[in-house]
Amino acid sequence: DAGITQSPRYKITETGRQVTLMCHQTWSHSYMFWYRQDLGHGLRLIYYSAAADITDKGEVPDGYVVSRSKTENFPLTLESATRSQTSVYFCASSESRRATVRLTEAFFGQGTRLTVV
Amino acid sequence: AQSVTQPDIHITVSEGASLELRCNYSYGATPYLFWYVQSPGQGLQLLLKYFSGDTLVQGIKGFEAEFKRSQSSFNLRKPSVHWSDAAEYFCAVGATPGSARQLTFGSGTQLTVLP
């Protein structure tokens, strides 16, 4: 199906374990993003990617690693999960049009609810 | 750096009443402004966006928002709320092209609709 999909939808893991959240989009959008959503904080950007093999830190990158070997995939890895990383994680994508000043909106996946125990 | 403030954490309105959700932004250049809605267990859906031009923008589901540069505001309105509008609403500001294209979100406003 076309769109942006995240997997898994729900995940419970133990402190100290490595866990990877997957994100896949079918639009060939250049930009992809990872956000975490926590009560009282709204959405905060973790990492983003402007294209394959180009990634950069967002507001809250510590404890996370990303990669983007293919345009359509943007996995987020928690190298050693901590309880403070319990959150809902959203992946998003958007187009990049250098020829225009219009910024297109981001399209969001349905989220992954991660619990670290 | 850009920032967004949504002063109201939670708003309760009766079905059929009018609604206004407040959003104030801080950004040094021309802002690109968005309103998203998140229904329970769902991702975010774009309601409307402002890039330039007419300061009153129409969105989906009967929502509109007005950009007021003098007040650094982009408030969301709906003349008559439906029970299905109960959700969390996020205002966001986007960076200008040429820099990082990430969105900065407000902390959200939870809307409850009473029958």
Side-chain angles (χ1 to χ4, degrees), chain B residues 45-62:
Chain B
Q45 181 184 21
L46 181 70
L47 282 176
L48 47 79
K49 58 189 177 185
Y50 170 79
F51 292 151
S52 64
D54 193 347
T55 56
L56 184 64
V57 294
Q58 302 297 320
I60 62 171
K61 303 184 180 185

Side-chain angles (χ1 to χ4, degrees), chain A residues 9 31 33 35 37 40-43 45 48 88 90 94-98 100-111, chain B residues 32 34 36 38 41-46 49 51-52 88 90 94-108:
Chain A
R9 290 292 311 278
Y31 280 81
F33 311 86
Y35 291 88
Q37 183 182 31
H41 291 281
L43 278 81
L45 182 68
Y48 67 97
V88 180
F90 286 99
S94 70
E95 293 182 14
S96 169
R97 294 180 176 176
R98 285 191 171 278
T100 172
V101 298
R102 296 179 68 84
L103 176 68
T104 57
E105 68 265 27
F107 295 87
F108 285 80
Q110 290 194 299
Chain B
Y32 298 80
F34 305 81
Y36 283 86
Q38 183 183 26
Q42 301 297 312
L44 278 73
Q45 181 184 21
L46 181 70
K49 58 189 177 185
F51 292 151
S52 64
E88 189 154 23
F90 293 94
T96 55
S99 63
R101 286 176 176 265
Q102 67 269 34
L103 296 172
T104 299
F105 286 84
S107 56

